[in-house]
C-alpha cells in the first residue's frame, strides 16, 4: 500500500463507489477526476479516496469535498473534471447545481429554488 505525503494537500475528494453510484458512472467519475488531477499536475494538492456507500443513494453518483464539507449529487465524468478545474482555479463554490449539503456550523441542505438551481438554505437561528 502506498503511503502518501499529504503535507501540501488542500482538498480531499471522497468518490462513492457503492452499488448505486457504480451503476451511475461511479467508476467513470473516479477515473475522470483522477485523470484531470494528473493532467493539471495537482497530485500534491488534491487527494482522492474511493469509498463504499455514503448513504445518499438517491443522489448517486456522490462526491464529497473536504475540508470544505461539500456533498455533490449526480456527478458525471464531466462534472468531476470541472470540479478539479474549479478547485485549481480557487473557486469557493464549484459545480453549482449539484451541491446537496455544505458544512456551515453543521451540515446545511441546499434548497431547490428553480429548475436546475439551488441556493443555500438559511442557517438555523438566522
Amino acid at each position: 500500500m502506498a503511503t502518501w505525503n499529504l503535507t501540501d494537500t488542500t482538498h480531499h475528494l471522497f468518490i462513492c463507489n457503492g452499488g448505486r453510484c457504480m451503476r451511475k458512472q461511479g467508476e467513470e467519475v473516479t477515473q475522470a477526476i483522477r485523470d484531470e488531477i494528473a493532467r493539471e499536475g495537482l497530485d500534491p494538492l488534491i487527494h482522492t479516496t474511493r469509498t463504499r456507500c455514503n448513504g445518499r443513494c438517491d443522489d448517486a453518483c456522490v462526491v464529497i469535498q473536504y475540508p470544505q464539507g461539500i456533498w455533490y449529487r449526480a456527478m458525471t465524468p464531466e462534472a468531476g473534471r470541472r470540479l478539479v478545474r474549479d478547485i485549481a482555479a480557487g473557486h469557493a463554490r464549484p459545480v453549482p447545481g449539484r451541491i446537496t449539503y455544505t458544512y456551515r456550523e453543521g451540515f446545511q441542505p441546499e434548497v431547490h429554488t428553480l429548475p436546475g438551481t439551488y441556493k443555500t438554505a438559511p442557517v438555523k437561528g438566522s
Side-chain angles (χ1 to χ4, degrees), residues 37-55:
I37 289 168
R39 192 176 77 70
E40 296 286 332
L42 298 170
D43 287 304
L45 300 178
I46 304 173
H47 183 69
T48 63
T49 301
R50 290 179 190 254
T51 68
R52 295 287 187 175
C53 181
N54 290 303

Side-chain angles (χ1 to χ4, degrees), residues 10-124:
T10 58
H11 294 77
H12 190 173
L13 301 178
F14 296 91
I15 308 160
C16 185
N17 279 201
R20 184 145 346 146
C21 284
M22 290 301 280
R23 289 190 295 277
K24 296 283 188 165
Q25 297 187 302
E27 178 63 29
E28 295 84 352
V29 170
T30 300
Q31 289 309 308
I33 287 172
R34 289 179 171 176
D35 290 347
E36 193 69 18
I37 289 168
R39 192 176 77 70
E40 296 286 332
L42 298 170
D43 287 304
L45 300 178
I46 304 173
H47 183 69
T48 63
T49 301
R50 290 179 190 254
T51 68
R52 295 287 187 175
C53 181
N54 290 303
R56 300 287 309 168
C57 297
D58 288 343
D59 292 338
C61 175
V62 174
V63 174
I64 307 164
Q65 178 185 0
Y66 274 92
Q68 294 74 12
I70 301 172
W71 288 57
Y72 294 99
R73 65 172 182 68
M75 290 295 280
T76 63
E78 181 50 41
R81 286 187 285 274
R82 178 176 174 191
L83 173 60
V84 172
R85 289 191 303 267
D86 286 349
I87 289 170
H91 295 298
R93 298 279 317 263
V95 197
R98 295 190 187 275
I99 299 169
T100 56
Y101 285 91
T102 56
Y103 189 84
R104 297 178 314 281
E105 299 179 26
F107 281 104
Q108 303 297 320
E110 298 294 312
V111 177
H112 185 69
T113 55
L114 298 171
T117 65
Y118 288 78
K119 82 172 215 186
T120 303
V123 175
K124 293 176 189 170

